[in-house]
Amino acid sequence: MTAQARTASVLLVGNPNVGKSTAFNYLTRARQRVVNAPGTTVELAEGTWRAGEADVTLVDLPGTYSLIARSPDEQVAADAVADPAHDLAVVVLDATALSRGLYLLGQVATAGRPVVAAVTMADLAAARGLRPDIGGLASALGVPVVEINGRTGLGAQELAEAVRAALDVPAHVAGIDPHSHNDSLHDNLACAQNLFDWVERVADAAVPATPPRRNLTDKLDAVLLRPWLGIPAFLAVVWAVFQLTTVVAAPLMDGAAWLVSGPLASAVTSFLDLARAPAWLASLAVDGLLSGVGTVLSFLPLMAIMFAAVSVLEGSGYLARVAVVADRAMRRLGLDGRAMLPLIVGFGCNVPALSATAVLPHARQRLLTGLLVPLTTCTARLAVYLLLAHTFFPGQAGTVVFLMYVASIVLVVGWGLIARRTVLRDVVAGPLVVALPDYQLPHPRALAVGVWTRVSSFARKAGSVIVMAVVILWVAQAIPARGGYTPTEVPVGDSVYGVVSASVSPALAPMGLDDWRISASLISGIAAKEVVIGALAQAYSLDGADDASLGDQLRSTVDETSGGHPGAAALALMIFTLSYLPCFATLAEQRRLYGWRWTAGSAGAQLVGAYLMAVAVFQVGRLIL
Amino acid sequence: MLLTDLSTGATARVRSISADADAVLRLREMGLRGGALVRLDTVAAGGARVVSIGAARLAVDRATAGLIDVEPS
């Protein structure tokens, strides 16, 4: 079967940060989806591209410097290039780092894949006095070379024509012997030397041999990479991202929650009334399913903002600088600066943070980072701190919430040091060699398409887990455990949910929190931290209490359970919420990445640690507060 | 001399790298190969060295930079 008879498959290959994904988003527009690479947890974007007169499937591979893979991301790229099911590779070359890209192109050609080269950032190279000679490059390589710009669409038409022509008549790179690729390191070294010689010859034909002019990036780096300026600048950027998530996302989250619990819930209720549906069905639909959907929907703006912020930081080239600035601190944990990215993402949401560990080269480093991610306090936990801080420390709410973030960082460092001295003694930070691309402004459309793809993938995957968890909670609340009530009409305190929570709550007495409603909300929080507040509200409102606000009701409960030390008990509850157990989606992702033993072991250690800390906080705190 | 001894703004040619084979290969893949002309741009936080090779910039952690032997030019 020829490539023309079916939809041809074209790989987009390139070094990290070469504008590959920008080009991908431009070429495929919204016709793309996120898929897992076969047999791995590495996510790939796959799209449909109208190249010439027919559609081709375009696969955006993870950025890599080499096909001799050191990380799961790089392995995915290497495997895809070796797979003959793909018809062609478009190798994206950054004009400011041409040799590095040519080495990868040489490896792709060695694997036997036909090649078309696309050169990005030619304007940036020109600004530094090093514009590559596209014609010279094409004749040295013997394959089509097209200058493209994923931001403006420059070269998209020419690239489509070149790809179409190369699918008809495969183009192979001159001076490279296909299928000479080997897997042993010794053979790789010999093969690499041949490739390096070839790269030098090609690069000499295409790039002027003059030193680069210094540009704005050099001036910014002289500030942003310095210790006394770089670290405060980094903290300021992180602070700005969290301001964005709290200030911008909060009203959007409230709006989404209102839409579902208000107009949508009344519409569903009236429809079910008209259809004469039984009361339990209406309750399942509104309190179970719809409330689960509401939880997911209210969470999406936050995810979108977090994904957008990380994409902007990454695409602008700043994250590469963060890896450099954070490197020394991370080395104390046996990690290198690149581990900072997943930990930052973790403060938004732990689930994508676990995926972000795929950038780390060693399995043990990924494991250590992945076990520390749940200790970064995600935005769902922030909602709990806000309620507690405003209720129990009205004058100092901001300070208390800030202290929770400090506590989270202390926990990451503390647990990291403990893990390195016990179960993960063999984790050693390797060399850090990071390319520092020119700083760039993000392109809004490419950004929007990328964020949309990621958010819809999150909604499908994590969303189904959250909806299921909320429905299970509804069922546990609907089944009576005592008192001879009919199902769905049982007061929540007498349901299976209430009775189980009440049996657990005495364990919370040493932290001054022996109340079934608090234990119930913490149990619900294992499903998803977003439901802690909802579960608390539900426990109070279904308890037949009066109309006092949730904060006031909680305050009077804790006044009683803490024996007159509500502040100490509230701090204990915050510390416990910070680290007692990751949410179900995080646990599921950890199990998928590291297996159930590591997941269960670290969750158990976290639970015990959180319990001891919370008890200590209350016992010490009640002497002071 | 070592890359860590090079002063800011100075250029040098890479002579050899004394790390394990895999680390050397990755450094060479990134552009730090014998004969490559490098310019030291910045000494970053934690002692990492930022170098230019052609129009490309690389940051190398301090310990690794200390394994790279260069000849000033």
Side-chain angles (χ1 to χ4, degrees), chain A residues 66 103 128 193 225 432 434, chain B residues 26 28-29 45 55 57 59 61:
Chain A
S66 170
Y103 171 72
R128 302 191 74 196
Q193 186 53 55
L225 289 173
L432 178 80
V434 200
Chain B
R26 178 43 60 109
R28 293 170 73 197
E29 289 177 336
R57 280 182 212 88
D61 71 274

Side-chain angles (χ1 to χ4, degrees), chain A residues 523-601:
Chain A
I523 292 172
S524 311
I526 302 169
K529 307 285 173 194
E530 299 85 305
V531 300
V532 169
I533 303 279
L536 211 49
Q538 212 172 14
Y540 277 108
S541 63
L542 295 181
D543 206 23
D546 57 28
D547 274 352
S549 80
L550 180 59
D552 293 343
Q553 298 201 29
L554 189 62
R555 169 104 205 187
S556 69
T557 302
V558 175
D559 275 343
E560 208 174 295
T561 59
S562 65
H565 303 285
L571 281 181
L573 181 55
M574 279 194 254
I575 286 286
F576 193 68
T577 306
L578 164 60
S579 67
Y580 73 115
L581 277 179
C583 70
F584 192 70
T586 304
L587 287 171
E589 185 73 359
Q590 279 190 321
R591 195 200 61 80
R592 200 162 67 105
L593 294 170
Y594 318 119
W596 66 268
R597 279 178 181 221
W598 280 109
T599 306

Side-chain angles (χ1 to χ4, degrees), chain A residues 433-522:
Chain A
V433 187
V434 200
L436 300 178
D438 270 313
Y439 288 107
Q440 288 198 78
L441 289 172
H443 190 266
R445 191 174 58 193
L447 182 68
V449 172
V451 168
W452 169 251
T453 311
R454 298 273 151 186
V455 167
S456 51
S457 156
F458 172 82
R460 274 198 309 276
K461 287 184 191 161
S464 49
V465 173
I466 294 173
V467 170
M468 204 166 65
V470 173
V471 170
I472 290 170
L473 285 178
W474 177 86
V475 171
Q477 287 168 356
I479 300 172
R482 61 184 177 208
Y485 294 98
T486 45
T488 77
E489 279 163 25
V490 51
V492 73
D494 294 316
S495 68
V496 169
Y497 176 74
V499 169
V500 169
S501 305
S503 68
V504 173
S505 68
L508 303 183
M511 50 178 105
L513 296 165
D514 179 4
D515 184 83
W516 75 268
R517 284 160 293 212
I518 294 173
S519 58
S521 68
L522 290 171

